Amino acid sequence: MKHVIAIDIGGTKTIGSLFDENKNILEEKRFPTNPKAGPDNLLNALFNVIDELVSKYEVDCISVGSAGRININDGSVFFASDNIPGWTGVKIKEILEERYHILTVVENDCKVAGYGEEWNGAAQGLDNYICITLGTGVGAAVKAEGKMIHGSHYSAGELGHIILHPNGRQCNCGLKGCVEQYCSGTALTKIYNEKSDSKIETGYDYFERVKAKEPLALEVLADFVDDLFNVILTLTNSYDPDRIIIGGGLIDTREYWWDQLMEKIAASPISKLFQVDVVPAALGSKAGIYGAAYLGFKTPQEQ
Ligand SMILES: [Zn+2]
């Protein structure tokens, strides 16, 4: 029986899960992370979760999902934004293989979430799907004609930086009006604060106001639904997928906006032309861990 350590490096914690081939999680370790503290903070979190798991099991592969544009050939970070200072250029695969002498694979966290949905969720058996992650940032996994698309610079699926509103809100990538500045959890809180006198700090606080049906909170949410609908239109016209799966932290709040989104899609001409099926992610926040495991199990056979 093969074993894989699947790792999801997150904004607040790094999770490492030990999987067997039957999709069972035998053990799980968590370690707090603070990406703003620099690369050593994240690497230490990786070492902490892996040290404990390798001491107990014979492991065939370590598979890591990380934010940033990942060079899947050498397992290094091709580019990471200022959200993770110093992460660009970090040779994750080389560092882990030197320390543990275990085959290591690294992939972008949103693409890994797509693999998770493919292995055990809403994308099973599909050759054409897009899995959108709406979290602190926005990203996507695009599988087209049976292949996960990476592009020439590992940047395909960087949906968060498609321009949604020309000359709109300033993005940390240098452009203005990016999807990420309108459709992420961070953006909703920011926009709400700008339109009101509030200084709420978290998406949780914002959705408390939505829940209380505060008019301004609902207005911000209606704009979010319009924006997300436009993103879905762009993706549908670009790739013509069988299914668009929406995941990430924001999907946990869908009781407040999903029906509105479905109504917009149903009333749109694209619903007749493409018959695209838009569904919530089946695995929720577990998609990344399952996807990393899937990648880990399929890698040794292919290389
Ligand atoms: Zn941007």
Side-chain angles (χ1 to χ4, degrees), residues 24 52 82 146 168 196 199 202 278 288 296:
N24 297 312
E52 287 205 44
D82 290 345
S196 66
K199 290 278 172 285
T202 66
V278 181

Side-chain angles (χ1 to χ4, degrees), residues 160-163 171-181:
H161 303 287
I162 287 176
I163 301 300
C171 185
N172 57 12
C173 73
L175 297 170
K176 283 184 173 177
C178 294
V179 167
E180 196 163 290
Q181 298 307 316

Side-chain angles (χ1 to χ4, degrees), residues 97-149:
E97 286 184 346
E98 262 175 29
R99 184 178 168 107
Y100 299 105
H101 306 286
I102 296 170
L103 174 73
T104 299
V105 283
V106 188
E107 174 62 288
N108 164 270
D109 54 356
C110 298
K111 292 185 175 68
V112 158
Y115 282 127
E117 291 292 328
E118 204 178 312
W119 197 39
N120 213 23
Q124 291 179 62
L126 299 182
D127 279 342
N128 293 284
Y129 73 81
I130 297 172
C131 183
I132 303 175
T133 299
L134 303 175
T136 316
V138 175
V142 178
K143 191 150 191 179
E145 300 180 351
K147 198 172 181 328
M148 186 68 80
I149 304 297

Side-chain angles (χ1 to χ4, degrees), residues 96-253:
L96 295 182
E97 286 184 346
E98 262 175 29
R99 184 178 168 107
Y100 299 105
H101 306 286
I102 296 170
L103 174 73
T104 299
V105 283
V106 188
E107 174 62 288
N108 164 270
D109 54 356
C110 298
K111 292 185 175 68
V112 158
Y115 282 127
E117 291 292 328
E118 204 178 312
W119 197 39
N120 213 23
Q124 291 179 62
L126 299 182
D127 279 342
N128 293 284
Y129 73 81
I130 297 172
C131 183
I132 303 175
T133 299
L134 303 175
T136 316
V138 175
V142 178
K143 191 150 191 179
E145 300 180 351
K147 198 172 181 328
M148 186 68 80
I149 304 297
H150 290 87
S152 294
H153 309 89
Y154 315 101
S155 301
E158 284 293 330
L159 166 66
H161 303 287
I162 287 176
I163 301 300
L164 188 59
H165 296 289
N167 294 315
R169 301 173 61 78
Q170 181 67 50
C171 185
N172 57 12
C173 73
L175 297 170
K176 283 184 173 177
C178 294
V179 167
E180 196 163 290
Q181 298 307 316
Y182 299 89
C183 293
S184 62
T186 323
L188 285 176
T189 309
K190 253 197 214 171
I191 293 169
Y192 175 81
N193 279 342
E194 283 170 16
K195 290 192 169 190
S196 66
D197 294 330
S198 319
K199 290 278 172 285
I200 56 167
E201 287 184 1
T202 66
Y204 178 81
D205 294 335
Y206 165 72
F207 277 100
E208 281 296 300
R209 297 185 185 206
V210 170
K211 198 174 168 185
K213 296 196 164 48
E214 189 195 291
L216 184 64
L218 294 176
E219 187 189 308
V220 170
L221 195 65
D223 288 345
F224 159 75
V225 171
D226 282 349
D227 287 337
L228 183 56
F229 171 69
N230 279 319
V231 169
I232 289 169
L233 281 185
T234 300
L235 292 176
T236 303
N237 278 302
S238 303
Y239 297 103
D240 186 16
D242 294 315
R243 188 171 287 164
I244 293 181
I245 298 148
I246 302 181
L250 267 181
I251 199 63
D252 294 339
T253 66

